[in-house]
Amino acid sequence: APQIRKMLSSGVCTSAVQLPGKVVVVTGANTGIGKETAKELAQRGARVYLACRDVEKGELVAKEIQTTTGNQQVLVRKLDLSDTKSIRAFAKGFLAEEKHLHILINNAGVMMCPYSKTADGFEMHIGVNHLGHFLLTHLLLEKLKESAPSRIVNVSSLAHHLGRIHFHNLQGEKFYNAGLAYCHSKLANILFTQELARRLKGSGVTTYSVHPGTVQSELVRHSSFMRWMWWLFSFFIKTPQQGAQTSLHCALTEGLEILSGNHFSDCHVTWVSAQARNETIARRLWDVSCDLLGLPMD
Ligand SMILES: NC(=O)C1=CN([C@@H]2O[C@H](COP(=O)(O)OP(=O)(O)OC[C@H]3O[C@@H](n4cnc5c(N)ncnc54)[C@H](OP(=O)(O)O)[C@@H]3O)[C@@H](O)[C@H]2O)C=CC1
Ligand SMILES: CC1=C(/C=C/C(C)=C/C=C/C(C)=C/C=O)C(C)(C)CCC1
């Protein structure tokens, strides 16, 4: 089993880049892939903000990272991506206390939750996974530009292959399937990354989307079938530390700027679905997202 797991979990971030003086935000950093990503960035000397909806869980993890890495600059701030007020409050606080932002890792995510809505009435998957991160990125973009060279990593999924952007049913009100809702939101992550890359050309800010692999984590919490699958095959799927490698590769590896907008898996550029390469859909999703969030369509 360890050999098979090793085979299935290829892709290791080999960058030796150190991060003293650099500032990083990781969303959903209190567990799973986000926690391991934050730990490695702290190990390399960055000041790391754990942006978590549960501050108590975040504080426990911050202590653990401080102890294991010896880096005391690991800070927890409240961020609930299912509430635009919380996102705005996080951004306001961050912009007031930090002069720079060098790396933003949009990692948090929900999968297969029963039909529910965010505080602002968005369907939960599209609301948290796409719109929440879309708003957060917009609010932090000037800071990222001022701190260039800087990077944005959007954690998407192989599951985007099953995704479609149904503009007439973006909030799942006409029909809803929890599995597909997740896939749609992960497709939105890739479309956002590509459109963002086009708009940021020449700014010194680059962006990448990532499939972390199939990873042992709490993501399957809403589906007993998925929990059972993950348990049954637990010897073969990636550990969270292995799952963090592609996010780390995109955040750290030197010379990656030329690949801005690309999708990565196992630390390599990988192909995406035809939908995910459609510039018209990407532009329309951008405009619709701005409209829903009350952002100017620039
Ligand atoms: N695990 C896998 O096999 C795969 C994972 N991914 C992606 O990787 C990313 C990380 O997932 P993973 O580590 O596996 O899953 P986990 O469930 O272990 O971690 C998800 C994180 O997101 C946070 N989160 C959920 N909802 C919100 C919210 N409303 N506001 C703020 N934070 C929130 C969770 O916080 P809390 O603990 O409070 O719930 C948690 O910290 C996700 O984007 C996922 O889609 C992609 C492909 C495969
Ligand atoms: C079929 C199969 C597997 C593959 C599961 C996959 C490919 C899951 C993908 C999940 C994603 C992409 C989730 C989040 O985004 C396992 C569990 C390895 C074990 C062997 C049987």
Side-chain angles (χ1 to χ4, degrees):
Q3 284 308 316
I4 296 173
R5 180 194 263 168
K6 210 171 163 197
M7 259 166 51
L8 293 176
S9 37
S10 59
V12 174
C13 172
T14 53
S15 167
V17 165
Q18 294 295 312
L19 301 170
K22 302 290 181 190
V23 182
V24 174
V25 170
V26 184
T27 69
N30 58 283
T31 188
I33 298 165
K35 176 180 166 183
E36 293 303 322
T37 307
K39 192 189 286 175
E40 181 59 31
L41 296 168
Q43 183 70 53
R44 291 170 186 249
R47 177 151 63 247
V48 182
Y49 283 82
L50 313 182
C52 305
R53 65 173 157 179
D54 185 331
V55 174
E56 263 177 46
K57 281 193 204 169
E59 290 292 358
L60 286 175
V61 169
K63 289 250 149 48
E64 186 190 319
I65 297 180
Q66 285 165 354
T67 310
T68 50
T69 63
N71 181 348
Q72 300 307 306
Q73 302 274 297
V74 182
L75 308 158
V76 181
R77 295 293 177 269
K78 166 101 181 159
L79 172 70
D80 184 347
L81 289 158
S82 71
D83 183 351
T84 56
K85 281 204 189 77
S86 170
I87 301 168
R88 287 183 181 280
F90 169 86
K92 195 174 168 196
F94 179 84
L95 296 177
E97 71 179 315
E98 275 299 340
K99 282 204 181 69
H100 298 290
L101 175 58
H102 302 98
I103 302 172
L104 169 62
I105 313 251
N106 288 322
N107 163 84
V110 287
M111 183 172 82
M112 294 181 79
C113 45
Y115 190 76
S116 50
K117 289 196 165 173
T118 68
D120 303 87
F122 308 136
E123 184 281 311
M124 194 57 73
H125 293 90
I126 201 80
V128 169
N129 298 356
H130 168 60
L131 291 168
H133 283 124
F134 186 94
L135 176 60
L136 178 67
T137 305
H138 268 72
L139 297 174
L140 300 179
L141 206 50
E142 274 315 304
K143 195 65 93 187
L144 283 153
K145 285 181 185 168
E146 288 162 20
S147 314
S150 54
R151 294 187 184 184
I152 303 164
V153 177
N154 295 318
V155 183
S156 175
S157 170
L158 180 72
H160 83 271
H161 280 281
L162 297 177
R164 297 285 178 275
I165 304 298
H166 299 296
F167 286 104
H168 63 290
N169 186 39
L170 211 54
Q171 308 308 337
E173 278 157 345
K174 296 198 174 77
F175 46 90
Y176 179 75
N177 171 286
L180 288 177
Y182 175 73
C183 299
H184 302 333
S185 71
K186 291 288 130 180
L187 170 61
N189 291 154
I190 297 181
L191 291 164
F192 172 46
T193 305
Q194 293 183 356
E195 185 60 24
L196 190 58
R198 278 191 280 276
R199 289 170 185 250
L200 287 175
K201 222 169 243 168
S203 70
V205 188
T206 52
T207 180
Y208 314 87
S209 62
V210 162
H211 169 58
T214 304
V215 180
Q216 191 72 258
S217 75
E218 294 175 33
L219 191 70
V220 290
R221 65 184 95 177
H222 293 294
S223 160
S224 37
F225 174 71
M226 295 291 270
R227 275 207 310 276
W228 179 79
M229 284 273 288
W230 256 229
W231 173 80
L232 191 65
F233 294 103
S234 55
F235 279 114
F236 304 112
I237 63 183
K238 288 186 183 185
T239 62
Q241 202 239 347
Q242 290 169 330
Q245 296 305 308
T246 306
S247 295
L248 291 166
H249 174 75
C250 290
L252 298 171
T253 302
E254 285 161 314
L256 222 63
E257 287 75 13
I258 195 162
L259 295 172
S260 183
N262 274 276
H263 185 62
F264 287 72
S265 176
D266 286 333
C267 301
H268 289 103
V269 171
T270 192
W271 63 292
V272 294
S273 67
Q275 291 274 316
R277 279 179 271 121
N278 188 316
E279 280 188 34
T280 311
I281 299 178
R283 222 168 296 128
R284 189 168 166 203
L285 179 65
W286 181 283
D287 289 347
V288 169
S289 304
C290 286
D291 192 36
L292 288 168
L293 293 162
L295 296 170
M297 273 180 231
D298 47 356

